[in-house]
């Protein structure tokens, strides 16, 4: 009965990672550094705002004690292995009692953060503990007690932890942008979905992702990877902010989806005509009484495959090329199986991976079907190998000319990128850069 129910139940997509990333301690430090201006704006707005009690009473007089300046002197983030993050903020205030010299004050905020997965599949950064302390910077005990009394009236210590929660609004918006739908071609999109909350370790923050592909809004069920993918161990000496890893299965799934979208159905022009071809294959002359240009129409007969080896990426294509003439009513008189291996060049521009077909490494043609008799393999290669080797790479490059979006946060780009091809996966070490519009 259980086996019968399993057959009746629709197949669910397999939940397995095919890519991921590691945010290193250096990357975490960079994020902390570029977050200081944002934190300062949030804290200044809240700490320097007129007290609600003054507004409620309709007082037209300014508060006797007011905060005149707020500066974030330091902001840092560190990993708590197997738990989450620790946020530290050092804030320098100046409080000016009426008709007195401004008094320097230092606020220290320590907060423990963790990342949860919401029901919608998005990651969310949350506060699990918060410990603010306020200290008047005075060397004299009497001044310190007086300052403390003023401080208690001006700074609501309990409210500081609410301010920390406000600081997390922007990071959480960025985490939501991670799972956006990204276009590959006009009718093909991809989406990166976290499989679980990230893992926190001394190595950094590791996140495993599964890529889903859509064609015309419908999810494409890609073949299951024969080899489970896991993030590779990294050298502790890495100077990168982020290391992305993309599995061989990721690339094969990409080309599989493009094939399903019909992106690799191509028309290949030829220098041949029916008259010139009849000189080599005599039966062609009996099919056409006028001289017509020969056209090659190619489509994949089975799914393409990407092979990753140390220092090398290659794309294997299995094409059926129909050779014929006539326009608009194309009629094929010869079909050829073409097995092509093309080298791939991988690079990164902004946050997109650019994939270009470098050169045809190997190509083999064989007769699949014929209305003009038996044609030797050597003659097929003489007549049709050159246009296939010239046009197939150009077509592939045109399909992916916009590149493929990598996992990224919307307000950051990648710099100092190095793409390294290993057996079964590609590593992309890079540094983060906040876009100038946000800085």
């Amino acid at each position: 009965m259980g086996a019968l129910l399993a057959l009746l139940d629709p197949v669910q997509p397999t939940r397995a990672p095919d890519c991921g990333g590691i945010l290193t301690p250096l990357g975490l430090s960079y994020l902390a550094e570029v977050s200081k201006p944002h934190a300062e704006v949030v804290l200044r707005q809240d700490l320097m705002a007129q007290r609600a009690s003054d507004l409620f009473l309709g007082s037209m007089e300014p508060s006797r004690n007011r905060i005149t300046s707020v500066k974030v002197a330091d902001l840092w983030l560190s990993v708590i292995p197997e738990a989450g993050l620790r946020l530290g903020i050092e804030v320098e205030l100046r409080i000016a009692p009426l008709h007195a010299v401004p008094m320097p004050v230092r606020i220290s905020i320590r907060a423990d953060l963790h990342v949860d997965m919401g029901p919608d599949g998005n990651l969310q950064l949350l506060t699990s503990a918060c410990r603010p302390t306020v200290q008047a910077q005075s060397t004299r005990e009497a001044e310190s007690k007086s300052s403390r009394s003023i401080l208690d009236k001006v700074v609501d210590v309990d409210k500081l932890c609410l301010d920390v929660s406000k600081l997390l609004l922007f990071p959480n918006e960025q985490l939501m942008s991670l799972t956006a739908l990204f276009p590959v071609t006009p009718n093909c999109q991809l989406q990166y979905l976290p499989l679980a909350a990230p893992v926190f370790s001394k190595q950094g923050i590791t996140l495993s992702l599964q890529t889903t592909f859509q064609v015309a809004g419908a999810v494409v069920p890609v073949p299951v990877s024969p080899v489970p993918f896991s993030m590779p161990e990294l050298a502790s000496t890495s100077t990168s902010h982020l290391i992305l890893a993309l599995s061989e299965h990721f690339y094969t799934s990409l080309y599989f989806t493009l094939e399903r979208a019909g992106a690799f159905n191509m028309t290949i022009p030829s220098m041949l005509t029916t008259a010139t071809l009849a000189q080599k294959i005599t039966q062609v002359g009996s099919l056409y009484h006028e001289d017509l240009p020969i056209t090659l129409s190619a489509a994949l007969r089975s799914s393409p495959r990407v092979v990753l080896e140390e220092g090398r990426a290659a794309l294997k294509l299995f094409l059926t090329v129909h050779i014929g003439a006539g326009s608009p009513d194309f009629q094929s008189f010869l079909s050829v199986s073409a097995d092509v291996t093309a080298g791939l060049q991988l690079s990164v521009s902004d946050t997109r991976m650019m994939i270009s077909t470098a050169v045809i490494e190997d190509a083999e043609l064989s007769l699949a079907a014929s209305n003009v008799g038996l044609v030797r393999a050597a003659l097929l290669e003489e007549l049709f190998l050159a246009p296939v080797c010239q046009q197939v790479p150009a077509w592939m490059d045109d399909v992916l000319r916009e590149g493929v979006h990598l996992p990224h946060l919307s307000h950051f780009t990648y710099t100092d990128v190095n793409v390294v091809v290993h057996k079964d996966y590609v590593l992309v070490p890079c540094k983060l850069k906040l876009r100038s519009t946000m800085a």
Side-chain angles (χ1 to χ4, degrees), residues 168-386:
L168 302 184
L169 292 176
F170 178 70
N172 282 325
E173 287 176 6
Q174 292 297 289
L175 287 174
M176 288 181 66
S177 73
L178 179 68
T179 58
L181 273 171
F182 298 116
V184 180
T185 64
N187 70 334
C188 178
Q189 296 175 307
L190 64 79
Q191 184 178 29
Y192 298 102
L193 298 176
L195 294 178
V199 175
F200 296 86
S201 67
K202 291 181 179 179
Q203 194 178 27
I205 305 171
T206 303
L207 180 62
S208 295
L209 300 167
Q210 181 187 48
T211 314
T212 61
F213 296 90
Q214 295 185 13
V215 173
V219 174
V220 175
V222 298
V224 177
S225 173
V227 181
F229 174 73
S230 59
M231 288 295 296
E233 291 291 326
L234 302 178
S236 58
T237 56
S238 173
T239 58
S240 300
H241 292 163
L242 177 70
I243 295 105
L244 295 172
L246 304 160
S247 69
E248 185 178 89
H249 184 62
F250 166 84
Y251 290 98
T252 293
S253 298
L254 170 67
Y255 279 93
F256 175 88
T257 303
L258 292 170
E259 175 216 349
R260 290 293 184 270
F264 298 144
N265 298 333
M266 60 194 89
T267 299
I268 301 174
S270 169
M271 300 297 292
L272 296 169
T273 67
T274 54
T276 56
L277 190 58
Q279 297 173 13
K280 299 285 186 178
I281 307 172
T282 56
Q283 292 187 41
V284 172
S286 62
L287 295 178
Y288 300 95
H289 301 295
E290 56 180 319
D291 195 15
L292 299 173
I294 293 294
T295 301
L296 282 63
S297 175
L300 289 165
R301 70 177 188 274
S302 62
S303 299
R305 188 163 66 91
V306 174
V307 178
L308 301 178
E309 299 172 352
E310 290 297 324
R312 174 180 174 270
L315 173 65
K316 292 184 178 293
L317 298 170
F318 310 97
L319 299 161
T320 296
V321 182
H322 300 287
I323 299 148
S327 178
D329 297 324
F330 173 80
Q331 293 183 339
S332 169
F333 55 81
L334 192 64
S335 294
V336 175
S337 295
D339 293 349
V340 177
T341 300
L344 294 179
Q345 288 183 337
L346 308 177
S347 61
V348 173
S349 174
D350 192 4
T351 57
R352 301 185 191 207
M353 173 154 284
M354 313 307 294
I355 305 173
S356 61
T357 310
V359 65
I360 298 293
E361 297 178 351
D362 185 39
E364 182 179 332
L365 303 185
S366 60
L367 187 64
S370 173
N371 294 332
V372 291
L374 183 65
V375 183
R376 293 178 294 106
L379 182 57
L380 290 175
E381 291 188 358
E382 177 189 336
L383 295 171
F384 307 116
L385 185 61

